[in-house]
């Protein structure tokens, strides 16, 4: 009987040792915050939240909200990236890497708090994505401030210069002509149905056409937060591509494109030409590659390489972080920087990746 009891106690001790190891795989490595670009204040806000005992999700909200309030690079939050009509709209997304729940808003008008609206979609609906005026109405009904004019003096000045001095160039239209010469539209198909047939035969022409996307004409904060136990959440926020066609939705609110997380594997964040990148779901690809055993640096390079082979003129970047906190980045068409804060660092550190 004593031998049986001893065996039971040894087995119980082994069980608790195993559970402790499993739950503490991030001990000494977590918490951790990673974000696209040198958005230092956003990382600091998320770090303060997670150190204060906030969940990974809540820390993502605090970090992305800080960037929205600061209008990071003029491409996050209100007051930047006017569309063809001079209006600023918001795309945002949040994902829980433990439950795989997602909340997102797209082309949201008149509400400045993108990441908070996305979180409300996750918390209070069975949906994943709300869009346009209906997303705005939902956010306001749930207590967020609005309606608010999201334009700023700077964004309107940029729009007027583009419209009057640059004849609405560059823009995102293709294979069209303005109804009247030297105007900004309305547009009509250049060659009608014949052009459509021609494009099917000349696909390579589209793939080598440079996009009007650049470092300061479109940008996304894509943030990953690991809490002290290694649970992961990701979030994104952006006001989209400058001079986009009204109604355009970029990769920011598209799960698997701008960001993705799975507690069992790790996480990814992305930025760049969202219209191209969302066709490949690069962050989903990164996480799945890491699931199959790839190191973060190889998974990131592989995801970017898949896009570059099809679209050699695109620009974009991803960062990858595995469940052990190992991180890396990859980019194409521009130099990319991402920011990290983890135990052992006195402040945020910036990592630079070259094409």
């Amino acid at each position: 009987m004593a031998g049986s009891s001893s065996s039971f106690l040894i087995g119980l001790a082994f069980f608790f040792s195993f559970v402790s190891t499993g739950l503490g795989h991030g001990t000494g490595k977590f918490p951790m915050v990673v974000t696209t670009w040198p958005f230092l204040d956003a990382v600091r806000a998320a770090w303060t939240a997670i150190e204060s005992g906030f969940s990974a999700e809540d820390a993502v909200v605090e970090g992305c909200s800080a960037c929205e309030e600061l209008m990071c690079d003029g491409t996050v939050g209100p007051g930047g990236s006017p569309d063809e009509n001079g209006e600023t709209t918001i795309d945002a997304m949040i994902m829980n890497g433990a439950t795989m729940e997602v909340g997102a808003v797209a082309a949201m008008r008149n509400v400045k708090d993108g990441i908070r609206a996305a979180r409300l979609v996750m918390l209070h609906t069975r949906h994943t994505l709300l869009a346009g005026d209906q997303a705005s109405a939902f956010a306001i009904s749930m207590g967020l401030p609005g309606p608010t004019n999201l334009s700023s003096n700077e964004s309107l000045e940029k729009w007027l210069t583009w419209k009057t001095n640059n004849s609405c160039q560059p823009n995102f239209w293709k294979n069209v002509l303005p109804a009247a010469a030297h105007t900004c539209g309305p547009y009509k198909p250049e060659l009608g149905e014949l052009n459509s047939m021609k494009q099917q035969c000349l696909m390579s022409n589209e793939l080598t056409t440079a996009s009007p996307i650049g470092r300061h004409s479109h940008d996304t904060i894509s943030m990953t937060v690991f809490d002290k136990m290694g649970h992961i959440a990701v979030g994104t926020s952006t006001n989209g591509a400058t001079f986009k066609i009204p109604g355009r939705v970029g990769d920011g609110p598209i799960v698997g494109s701008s960001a993705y997380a799975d507690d069992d594997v790790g996480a990814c964040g992305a930025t760049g030409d969202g219209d191209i990148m969302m066709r490949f779901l690069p962050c989903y690809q990164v996480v799945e590659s890491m699931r199959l055993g790839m190191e973060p640096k190889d998974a990131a390079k592989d995801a970017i390489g898949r896009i570059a082979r099809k679209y050699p003129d695109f620009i974009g970047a991803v960062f990858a972080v595995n469940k052990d906190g190992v991180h890396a980045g990859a980019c194409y068409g521009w130099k990319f920087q991402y920011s990290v804060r983890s135990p052992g660092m006195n402040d945020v550190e910036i990592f630079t990746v070259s094409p």
Side-chain angles (χ1 to χ4, degrees):
M1 189 72 175
S4 175
S5 176
S6 176
S7 297
F8 172 77
L9 291 174
I10 292 172
L12 190 62
F14 174 79
F15 171 77
F16 279 115
S17 174
F18 176 79
V19 170
S20 176
T21 301
L23 291 177
H25 65 260
T27 301
K29 303 170 185 175
F30 302 125
M32 186 177 193
V33 180
V34 186
T35 189
T36 51
W37 305 117
F39 295 149
L40 306 187
D41 289 331
V43 176
R44 289 169 184 148
W47 180 260
T48 298
I50 205 71
E51 281 283 271
S52 300
F54 284 43
S55 69
E57 274 183 42
D58 288 333
V60 163
V61 170
E62 293 304 308
C64 289
S65 289
C67 217
E68 291 170 346
E69 292 169 9
L70 291 168
M71 296 183 287
C72 290
D73 276 356
T75 57
V76 180
S81 298
D83 64 17
E84 280 190 339
N85 294 334
E87 183 181 6
T88 296
T89 56
I90 302 290
D91 293 344
M93 184 268 290
I94 189 167
M95 181 178 190
N96 182 322
T99 65
M100 312 307 284
E101 292 175 286
V102 175
V105 292
M108 186 172 68
R109 308 171 70 190
N110 303 315
V111 176
K112 65 183 180 64
D113 299 298
I115 192 68
R116 295 189 190 278
R119 180 78 187 284
L120 290 170
V121 173
M122 176 193 284
L123 289 177
H124 300 296
T125 82
R126 296 182 184 273
H127 301 309
T128 293
L129 172 65
L130 298 181
D133 287 337
Q134 290 82 2
S136 307
F138 165 80
I140 293 169
S141 75
M142 299 303 293
L144 292 182
T148 302
N149 185 349
L150 302 185
S151 297
S152 64
N153 290 337
E154 291 77 11
S155 68
L156 291 175
E157 183 178 353
K158 180 187 292 187
W159 172 68
L160 286 171
T161 298
W162 171 77
K163 190 176 179 68
T164 58
N165 296 350
N166 300 342
S167 299
C168 297
Q169 294 299 317
N171 65 19
F172 289 88
W173 291 90
K174 67 178 184 179
N175 308 320
V176 296
L177 292 172
H182 308 296
T183 66
C184 296
Y187 297 94
K188 60 183 180 181
E190 186 175 10
L191 296 175
E193 293 183 1
L194 178 62
N195 184 70
S196 178
M197 295 173 62
K198 178 182 177 183
Q199 285 302 305
Q200 293 179 23
C201 299
L202 297 177
M203 186 177 177
S204 61
N205 180 58
E206 177 185 320
L207 302 189
T208 56
T209 300
S211 167
I213 289 286
R215 171 69 175 86
H216 296 289
S217 66
H218 171 64
D219 209 354
T220 302
I221 179 171
S222 183
M223 175 177 282
T224 292
V225 174
F226 290 74
D227 69 14
K228 294 180 181 181
M229 299 302 293
H231 299 310
I232 315 170
V234 294
T236 66
S237 184
T238 179
N239 52 42
T242 303
F243 311 132
K244 59 185 176 284
I245 297 170
R248 180 259 190 184
V249 174
D251 67 326
I254 306 303
V255 63
S257 185
S258 62
Y260 197 73
D262 186 333
D263 275 13
D264 295 335
V265 182
C268 167
T271 184
D273 189 342
D275 289 293
I276 300 300
M277 297 180 78
M278 73 168 76
R279 303 171 191 179
F280 295 82
L281 296 178
C283 276
Y284 178 79
Q285 182 64 56
V286 165
V287 172
E288 289 309 299
S289 293
M290 292 193 298
R291 190 189 308 277
L292 294 175
M294 273 194 190
E295 291 297 316
K297 64 178 181 179
D298 297 323
K301 288 179 181 179
D302 174 71
I304 289 296
R306 290 169 185 254
I307 306 173
R309 285 192 290 273
K310 294 284 188 179
Y311 291 90
D313 289 326
F314 108 99
I315 59 173
V318 298
F319 67 75
V321 193
N322 69 16
K323 66 180 181 180
D324 296 317
V326 177
H327 58 84
C331 60
Y332 186 88
W334 59 3
K335 182 179 289 187
F336 173 56
Q337 293 181 307
Y338 66 97
S339 304
V340 179
R341 179 74 196 270
S342 62
M345 295 180 179
N346 293 325
D347 198 0
V348 188
E349 293 187 10
I350 300 170
F351 293 81
T352 301
V353 183
S354 296

